[in-house]
Amino acid sequence: MSLVVFPFKHEDPAVVRRNLEVAAQQGSIEAVWAVAAEVGASLEQVEAIGREVADVSGRAVSVFPQERLGDLRPGKGDGMNTALAMAAEHDFERIHFYDADITNFDASWIEGAEAAADDGYEIVRHRFPRAATDAMITWMVTRPALAMTFSGTILPRLGQPLGGELLISGGVAKALAADGFVRSRSDWGIDTVITYATAVMGAPMYEHNVSTGKRHALYGSLDEIRDMLLECLDAVRSLAGKPFPPPHARFAADPPAAVPEDLKSVIGYDVERTTALLVADWTDEESDLARSIPGDISSHVLVNRDTPSFEFMDAAAWGVTLSWLLGSFRLGDSNWESLAFRLWLMRVLSYTSSEVPKGYDNAITYLEEAILRYEQAGPAIV
Ligand code: DGY
């Protein structure tokens, strides 16, 4: 029997209720856990929802706060690791993880993952279409960095390496719970580290396509995901020098499906408010760091101390810049953090203004082709 885990923080209670109900109603599900990022009103509210869902469904629904397990900012990683540590003490056959804020979560997510697990896949990752200006950390940081670092393996091919939606076998959960590298990653970097750790295990892996896409609240200014960007950059950087996933592991994926038309026109973030972040509050130290970006990129970047400028940050310039960041970035250093965030904004804004206006299909093809080029260039891109 299976367990479903939802890490949550301050999600819309109606969305959380629906998601707990969906999970608790599935025949294959024995227990549902919701793990809170912090104690307080949100936890109490979900505890009450959990009791009601348990009464109606007859399933075991537990709502509890995460423990402090890792070494970095206490965040989603502590939540997932708390669930992994607890699950390792039980004998669940399978464990599903889902972000609690998915607004189109339904039985097909659980059924799709269970069907692949029935076929012998120990890791089932959900992949789904996203708006052309959503997933900007995935497209601009995680997938390019995995392509440069683990060229020729399955890692650059995974659609959602930051996806919090996956199924793992009980055995994989026990192995993750015992892995100190995974346990120490308490912040937004957890998804990257779990993606790597499960790939390197070499267990059979499947990508299940949710063709309706993952619907969730989108962003105002990209400042809202600044911490996520910095922590995901640090996480992928922490993989440098680690072993490659084995080449012959069993891997399969659902074929691509048509993308819903309404998703194609969703705007992922507020361009005007995001552009304003390029010029705000440069320090002398940040300017000094920017001067060591290779080639003529640094002079273009420094224009932003006075006027927003991002057109120059095309896929090639970003490859050089990201490779430089992977070698030098320091999480926790405010000047490095400010510069890395701004450089990523330049890349996202450049892509948004040059490729997105040509239409959804063009934009996604362009992004996929850029990943292939980063993979061909490998780590020697600078
Ligand atoms: C990503 O890039 O995938 C993050 O979820 C932010 O959208």
Side-chain angles (χ1 to χ4, degrees):
M1 292 291 274
S2 301
L3 163 71
V4 176
V5 178
F6 293 99
F8 73 96
K9 195 168 183 183
H10 297 134
E11 271 70 53
D12 177 349
V15 174
V16 176
R17 175 186 295 276
R18 222 186 127 259
N19 292 347
L20 294 185
E21 282 169 357
V22 166
Q25 282 160 5
Q26 303 315 305
S28 55
I29 303 304
E30 179 183 346
V32 179
W33 295 353
V35 188
E38 49 189 47
V39 291
S42 176
L43 169 59
E44 285 164 23
Q45 199 169 26
V46 178
E47 278 172 338
I49 293 171
R51 282 191 292 272
E52 288 163 23
V53 174
D55 285 347
V56 174
S57 65
R59 293 287 154 77
V61 180
S62 310
V63 182
F64 49 87
Q66 65 191 35
E67 289 172 38
R68 181 64 178 133
L69 297 176
D71 301 332
L72 297 155
R73 186 185 62 77
K76 182 184 178 190
D78 273 344
M80 290 189 77
N81 281 316
T82 297
L84 284 169
M86 287 176 58
E89 288 168 15
H90 293 70
D91 275 319
F92 293 111
E93 199 182 339
R94 297 165 186 168
I95 294 123
H96 296 245
F97 283 92
Y98 298 104
D99 285 356
D101 66 340
I102 310 174
T103 55
N104 64 321
F105 186 65
D106 64 15
S108 70
W109 295 67
I110 292 178
E111 285 166 359
E114 290 279 337
D118 289 345
D119 283 344
Y121 291 95
E122 286 191 57
I123 301 148
V124 186
R125 307 181 56 88
H126 295 282
R127 69 180 293 164
F128 28 79
R130 297 175 72 180
T133 47
D134 188 16
M136 287 293 100
I137 304 173
T138 297
W139 279 118
M140 301 309 182
V141 174
T142 313
R143 289 197 60 192
L146 290 175
M148 293 173 191
T149 314
F150 296 105
S151 167
T153 72
I154 62 167
L155 283 167
R157 302 273 67 78
L158 299 176
Q160 311 290 343
L162 291 188
E165 291 76 27
L166 72 167
L167 172 155
I168 52 178
S169 68
V172 168
K174 285 189 168 77
L176 289 176
D179 183 336
F181 181 62
V182 173
R183 178 175 282 233
S184 66
R185 194 83 226 185
S186 48
D187 61 11
W188 286 116
I190 188 65
D191 299 305
T192 309
V193 163
I194 287 184
T195 297
Y196 169 77
T198 48
V200 92
M201 280 175 202
M205 185 185 293
Y206 194 84
E207 274 195 321
H208 168 246
N209 188 46
V210 180
S211 57
T212 51
K214 176 186 169 185
R215 309 305 176 105
H216 61 112
L218 292 172
Y219 317 112
S221 123
L222 286 179
D223 207 25
E224 288 174 30
I225 51 171
R226 186 181 193 272
D227 287 349
M228 191 189 291
L229 175 266
L230 298 171
E231 293 170 5
C232 290
L233 173 62
D234 184 65
V236 80
R237 178 177 141 70
S238 75
L239 302 179
K242 290 202 164 282
F244 275 41
H248 303 303
R250 188 174 160 214
F251 176 70
D254 281 338
V259 176
E261 282 306 314
D262 69 309
L263 193 73
K264 292 185 175 182
S265 53
V266 168
I267 306 294
Y269 68 95
D270 183 327
V271 171
E272 206 174 314
R273 283 168 58 199
T274 299
T275 306
L277 300 170
L278 293 178
V279 288
D281 306 325
W282 280 79
T283 62
D284 292 344
E285 291 82 357
E286 184 179 350
S287 302
D288 285 345
L289 292 176
R291 283 191 187 92
S292 51
I293 303 171
D296 62 357
I297 300 171
S298 66
S299 56
H300 290 292
V301 166
L302 287 164
V303 169
N304 284 281
R305 289 180 303 174
D306 302 313
T307 323
S309 170
F310 50 77
E311 293 77 7
F312 68 91
M313 194 61 97
D314 59 13
W318 178 244
V320 173
T321 306
L322 177 62
S323 179
W324 175 78
L325 281 171
L326 290 172
S328 315
F329 173 69
R330 295 278 170 272
L331 186 66
D333 177 315
S334 61
N335 292 302
W336 270 112
E337 290 188 349
S338 179
L339 181 60
F341 176 57
R342 261 194 250 274
L343 293 170
W344 171 72
L345 294 180
M346 290 170 208
R347 176 64 192 127
V348 173
L349 288 162
S350 166
Y351 155 77
T352 303
S353 64
S354 64
E355 300 303 325
V356 176
K358 297 181 202 160
Y360 182 87
D361 295 332
N362 168 82
I364 300 300
T365 304
Y366 167 88
L367 290 168
E368 282 291 358
E369 285 175 359
I371 303 297
L372 282 176
R373 282 202 303 278
Y374 293 136
E375 192 174 357
Q376 281 154 9
I381 199 161
V382 175

